Amino acid sequence: LCNSYELFEEYYEEVEKYMKKMTMEEKIGQMFFPDFDPTVDYFKFPNITPGGYVLFANAFEYNETFIKDNIKKMQKESIKKTGLPLGLSVDEEGGIVNRISLHFREEPFPSPQEVYNKSGIKGILKIDKEKRNLLRRFYMNINLAPVADLSLNSKDPIYKRTIARNASESAEYIAKDVEGYVNDTFTCCLKHFPGYGNNSDTHRDKAIDPRSYEIFQNEDLLPFEAGISSKTPMILLSHNTVICKDDEYPASLSETWHKILREDLNYSGLIVTDDFTMKAIKNFYSLETAAILGVKAGNDIIITGYYDQQYKAVLKAVQNKEISEDLINTAVRRIIAWKLKYLSKSNFDNDPSDNNPEEKPKDNNTTLIIVLSVIGCLIVIGAIIVVIIIFQKKKERLDEIYSVDKMTLTS
């Protein structure tokens, strides 16, 4: 068993002040983190404020000033409507999964496996501090990392995202990394509970995990238990169907796996689904069914690309008493308590990178503007030089004509 600890206990009294003012519509909105669409979400705030967003690499293809100005507007709009900031998350794992560093760092962050092989846990802690600084620079407040899965086989889909070490060594890594995030009051998110193993990619299809629960107890759960003991505020559940405990539903929709996490592992933080746009969910459940099952299973937050449809499905299910209001209230209390603990210190009027002594990553758009400006200046200077030369030649010609005319007149 992990050390039992109520992560947000000191904030629940204050939470009630928010709960009393919120409608059921507003509460359900807090339980969704839509996939961020930069072509829409930078310009239009939704009618029902979500709890947050998941931003991908395409959200950072713009000029840095544009990105930050619009994120500040979104945060201020959220606070104006609900009194609460948005949870803004990215997957900045390193290696094959990066978002911001693809655009605003000289080189994208290396994989944890590469860093660990080169410099161990100290190297991980150092580079994860740099990750947090970069995320704060763009007002992100959640890193959907680290990956707590185990893999020793390079053919496993999850292998490159792990540190490729045994359960004991991986658990030590996770414990230390989570401590770094918690001590820095920055939200990390362990994934993919209860452990991805050698399963196929759930982005593409359904994945069935046939392993015994004994294997999970002795191996896969150990890094998650270590992270829980280090007080991780967030854990993400996979879409793998882990049949030793539930042969019907994937872990993300399984009441049984949520119960194991809450009761057997004594976890009191936020439980989050993997993205509902992934085919392991989308190809086997309707949008409405997936959302309702996700809430009933015990998820606090649903990550999805179908916010409007799935929000409406959950609201209707509450109105029809298919989902109890108590279940919604429990999740929302936890979400608000987490926001009070981790997001209340966010300052959207100051750029945290201004006080960052470390090297500031590059801004591709700014660099392009500078280059174009220099080229423009050179063109203007060149044009001025040409005009001067032409003027000089004309002057010399006029002087020559004047001299000839003068000589003619004299003679």
Side-chain angles (χ1 to χ4, degrees):
L1 286 178
C2 307
N3 295 329
S4 181
Y5 179 82
E6 175 51 64
L7 289 176
F8 314 126
E9 183 176 11
E10 65 269 36
Y11 296 92
Y12 281 114
E13 185 175 345
E14 187 178 352
V15 164
E16 293 308 311
K17 299 175 185 177
Y18 291 86
M19 294 291 289
K20 289 176 182 178
K21 298 176 183 178
M22 295 175 76
T23 64
M24 182 53 63
E25 288 81 358
E26 290 171 332
K27 291 175 182 177
I28 294 171
Q30 287 295 308
M31 296 181 68
F32 283 90
F33 274 39
D35 296 340
F36 189 83
D37 180 353
T39 64
V40 176
D41 296 322
Y42 274 139
F43 306 99
K44 183 181 178 181
F45 202 75
N47 291 328
I48 298 296
T49 304
Y53 286 97
V54 177
L55 288 81
F56 298 90
N58 62 351
F60 301 96
E61 293 174 350
Y62 300 78
N63 176 269
E64 179 172 350
T65 301
F66 171 87
I67 295 170
K68 291 162 71 170
D69 284 351
N70 280 283
I71 286 175
K72 283 194 284 187
K73 288 178 185 176
M74 290 165 53
Q75 283 289 19
K76 289 177 180 178
E77 188 69 21
S78 175
I79 292 169
K80 178 182 176 182
K81 286 188 172 184
T82 67
L84 297 166
L86 297 165
L88 297 176
S89 60
V90 291
D91 300 89
E92 201 72 34
E93 296 175 16
I96 61 173
V97 181
N98 281 306
R99 305 300 185 226
I100 304 178
S101 65
L102 291 174
H103 303 288
F104 294 96
R105 194 173 184 268
E106 289 300 326
E107 291 184 0
F109 286 114
S111 71
Q113 189 176 134
E114 180 182 344
V115 176
Y116 191 85
N117 288 341
K118 186 180 295 184
S119 49
I121 289 177
K122 286 185 178 180
I124 292 279
L125 297 179
K126 181 179 179 182
I127 204 157
D128 276 9
K129 182 178 180 181
E130 186 185 342
K131 287 178 187 176
R132 293 193 292 273
N133 288 337
L134 179 58
L135 268 59
R136 280 193 169 109
R137 174 178 163 189
F138 288 88
Y139 309 120
M140 300 295 105
N141 43 42
I142 306 166
N143 191 9
L144 297 173
V147 170
D149 303 306
L150 303 178
S151 175
L152 297 174
N153 187 343
S154 62
K155 294 181 180 179
D156 294 346
I158 202 68
Y159 175 80
K160 292 181 179 179
R161 299 167 66 184
T162 73
I163 64 166
R165 293 295 193 278
N166 62 29
S168 176
E169 201 168 343
S170 296
E172 183 184 2
Y173 147 63
I174 291 298
K176 294 292 185 182
D177 202 27
V178 169
E179 283 177 12
Y181 277 90
V182 171
N183 291 339
D184 200 15
T185 321
F186 197 98
T187 298
C188 62
C189 178
L190 301 188
K191 57 188 186 184
H192 307 78
F193 185 85
Y196 210 91
N198 63 351
N199 290 287
S200 58
D201 188 352
T202 51
H203 289 87
R204 300 178 180 180
D205 203 354
K206 189 173 186 177
I208 305 293
D209 192 329
R211 293 177 295 164
S212 69
Y213 189 57
E214 185 179 3
I215 291 176
F216 281 91
Q217 287 179 308
N218 294 332
E219 297 180 15
D220 293 71
L221 295 182
L222 297 186
F224 291 97
E225 291 174 353
I228 291 169
S229 293
S230 292
K231 304 177 184 178
T232 182
M234 190 177 285
I235 294 179
L236 179 147
L237 268 70
S238 78
H239 295 322
N240 294 336
T241 301
V242 188
I243 63 175
C244 63
K245 287 295 182 179
D246 190 336
D247 61 2
E248 183 177 3
Y249 295 113
S252 56
L253 304 182
S254 168
E255 291 185 38
T256 303
W257 278 109
H258 284 76
K259 186 176 180 180
I260 290 170
L261 183 54
R262 288 285 183 215
E263 297 181 8
D264 295 355
L265 274 63
N266 291 324
Y267 183 59
S268 62
L270 293 171
I271 298 180
V272 187
T273 70
D274 211 340
D275 201 316
F276 274 8
T277 61
M278 294 163 66
K279 291 182 179 179
I281 298 297
K282 187 171 69 171
N283 288 2
F284 298 91
Y285 301 92
S286 71
L287 297 180
E288 293 78 13
T289 299
I292 292 168
L293 287 174
V295 172
K296 291 174 74 173
N299 291 293
D300 300 305
I301 293 171
I302 292 173
I303 297 175
T304 182
Y306 311 105
Y307 174 47
D308 186 59
Q309 301 99 308
Q310 294 188 315
Y311 159 80
K312 289 177 180 176
V314 172
L315 177 61
K316 185 177 179 180
V318 172
Q319 292 169 340
N320 294 340
K321 302 190 184 307
E322 183 180 356
I323 294 176
S324 72
E325 290 190 12
D326 286 345
L327 190 59
I328 299 295
N329 288 334
T330 298
V332 175
R333 283 191 180 95
R334 195 176 286 120
I335 292 167
I336 296 173
W338 159 70
K339 288 188 173 185
L340 292 175
K341 180 170 184 175
Y342 277 90
L343 310 190
S344 62
K345 295 180 181 178
S346 299
N347 187 339
F348 310 112
D349 294 317
N350 295 320
D351 185 346
S353 66
D354 289 343
N355 300 317
N356 179 14
E358 298 180 17
E359 179 184 355
K360 292 187 180 182
K362 66 179 179 180
D363 180 339
N364 292 334
N365 294 305
T366 302
T367 303
L368 179 61
I369 291 170
I370 292 171
V371 171
L372 292 175
S373 298
V374 171
I375 292 172
C377 289
L378 291 175
I379 291 172
V380 171
I381 292 169
I384 292 171
I385 291 171
V386 170
V387 170
I388 291 172
I389 291 171
I390 293 172
F391 178 80
Q392 186 65 31
K393 287 186 176 294
K394 284 187 175 182
K395 184 176 181 300
E396 290 173 358
R397 179 62 180 158
L398 288 171
D399 288 344
E400 183 181 337
I401 293 171
Y402 176 75
S403 298
V404 171
D405 289 346
K406 187 175 180 181
M407 289 173 63
T408 304
L409 290 170
T410 305
S411 62

